[in-house]
Amino acid sequence: MDDYPLLDLFWTMLWFFLWIMWLFLLFKVIADIFRSHDLGGWGKAGWLIVTLLLPYIGVLVYVIVRGKSMSKRDIKEAQDRDAAFKAYVREAAGTSDANGADATKKGSHVDDLAKLAELKDKGAITEEEYQRAKTKLLV
């Protein structure tokens, strides 16, 4: 280590960092090739061959030619994941169904029973009507 100058160590680390960044870009491009719905089978095979046989040039050309659609696919996938997560949270919390309705069946029975008890307490419905409605809800 004594005969390896500090500047050479800096350049070695810089080239290593750039190589790792290129590897990340290569994997992202290959994943985008397979994820793309607007490319057919031959198009995907062609881009894959170009990026594997001419790695630096192939990745650079792919990013230049398809970079804009690549970012659009990334944004759409992120929005789809976000929407799926929000739908899952709504479903798990029981606050609305997939169509965005107010209450799901989990909480609606309790709410309806509470409303019935309130109507009975106010005298708006009789005990007999209350029991009939309660039985109808619980069955």
Side-chain angles (χ1 to χ4, degrees):
M1 220 37 211
D2 293 336
D3 60 340
Y4 200 68
L6 187 61
L7 188 59
D8 286 346
L9 179 66
F10 171 75
W11 284 114
T12 302
M13 294 303 291
L14 179 68
W15 284 112
F16 182 72
F17 176 73
L18 291 174
W19 182 70
I20 295 295
M21 280 182 31
W22 176 82
L23 276 178
F24 274 101
L25 184 60
L26 174 69
F27 291 136
K28 182 151 183 68
V29 164
I30 290 173
D32 188 68
I33 289 172
F34 287 109
R35 184 179 57 183
S36 177
H37 295 293
D38 59 337
L39 280 177
W42 288 108
K44 290 179 183 185
W47 276 113
L48 189 63
I49 289 170
V50 168
T51 57
L52 293 178
L53 292 182
L54 302 168
Y56 294 107
I57 296 171
V59 168
L60 182 64
V61 169
Y62 185 86
V63 170
I64 291 170
V65 172
R66 297 185 47 90
K68 187 175 269 190
S69 63
M70 189 172 162
S71 66
K72 288 178 183 176
R73 279 188 293 279
D74 282 341
I75 290 170
K76 181 168 178 0
E77 183 180 340
Q79 289 171 341
D80 290 345
R81 267 190 267 128
D82 186 49
F85 175 73
K86 287 179 181 177
Y88 171 74
V89 168
R90 275 190 228 101
E91 179 185 332
T95 56
S96 69
D97 61 6
N99 297 327
D102 288 338
T104 60
K105 292 189 178 193
K106 291 179 186 175
S108 66
H109 290 308
V110 175
D111 293 338
D112 290 343
L113 284 173
K115 289 176 186 175
L116 280 174
E118 189 177 320
L119 287 172
K120 185 185 86 163
D121 291 342
K122 289 181 181 178
I125 60 173
T126 64
E127 180 68 33
E128 183 181 306
E129 291 172 330
Y130 171 75
Q131 289 301 328
R132 249 185 304 172
K134 180 177 152 186
T135 305
K136 189 175 182 182
L137 274 175
L138 295 177
V139 173

